[in-house]
Amino acid sequence: MKLSTRSRYGTRLMLDMARHYREGPLQLGDIAKRQEVSVKYLEQIIIPLKKARYIESVRGRKGGHILTKPPEEITVGEIVALLEASSGLVECTKDTTVCERADTCPTRLLWKEAYEAMFDRLEAVTLADLVERARDLEGKKLNEGPKS
């Protein structure tokens, strides 16, 4: 399965917000620069995240956007499920009417199991886990030093 840009960038947006969780409201422009994504695209992605109450907007001079829950309480699976238009690896796993063989097809069950396994894994990873992974990667990069 190929994840859409929307869910990949949405996860990056949420990870960035998790990394700066205790710093107060964040401006989309700052996140866009750090993530190298256009502000316009982040403005589109943030809408469903706000509707689902993962992000809250703060108005005013020091306004911006904040996570509504701690990073430990938000899973990557929740983000991807919200932002991903697809509901399976193949259409027939959710809608058996699209294929006349759906009821007797052994591969349909395999695709369904694979999709569920992927989401089980994504559900097991929180934004806090990703923040920790990012720190570990940065630490490795610093310890390696410049390449000669």
Side-chain angles (χ1 to χ4, degrees):
M1 174 182 179
K2 181 178 178 181
L3 293 175
S4 68
T5 304
R6 183 178 165 97
S7 62
R8 292 191 329 264
Y9 287 8
T11 302
R12 285 172 48 190
L13 164 70
M14 294 291 283
L15 172 58
D16 193 289
M17 293 183 76
R19 291 183 82 174
H20 300 277
Y21 179 62
R22 304 218 185 278
E23 297 174 17
L26 301 172
Q27 299 283 320
L28 272 186
D30 294 335
I31 297 170
K33 284 179 192 169
R34 286 190 295 266
Q35 296 303 315
E36 299 176 346
V37 178
S38 79
V39 174
K40 290 216 178 276
Y41 197 48
L42 290 183
E43 286 171 346
Q44 292 173 15
I45 293 171
I46 205 168
I47 293 169
L49 292 165
K50 286 168 61 175
K51 283 183 181 175
R53 299 180 190 235
Y54 287 104
I55 295 174
E56 182 178 281
S57 294
V58 178
R59 295 193 179 270
R61 203 172 62 108
K62 296 199 179 213
H65 303 282
I66 57 172
L67 294 177
T68 59
K69 298 191 259 186
E72 297 82 17
E73 296 179 19
I74 303 171
T75 70
V76 175
E78 292 173 303
I79 298 164
V80 172
L82 178 69
L83 297 175
E84 198 60 44
S86 162
S87 60
L89 293 177
V90 292
E91 248 184 295
C92 64
T93 59
K94 294 290 181 187
D95 181 6
T96 57
T97 64
V98 299
C99 177
E100 60 191 43
R101 298 179 48 154
D103 292 333
T104 59
C105 180
T107 57
R108 175 183 165 267
L109 296 175
L110 175 63
W111 305 144
K112 185 176 181 180
E113 290 168 0
Y115 184 76
E116 289 168 355
M118 181 190 75
F119 264 94
D120 286 348
R121 180 66 187 123
L122 294 177
E123 281 293 323
V125 178
T126 67
L127 289 178
D129 296 332
L130 284 184
V131 168
E132 191 60 36
R133 287 181 187 188
R135 286 187 185 130
D136 289 348
L137 289 172
E138 289 170 356
K140 282 183 184 178
K141 197 172 186 179
L142 287 174
N143 290 334
E144 288 175 2
K147 294 183 180 180
S148 347

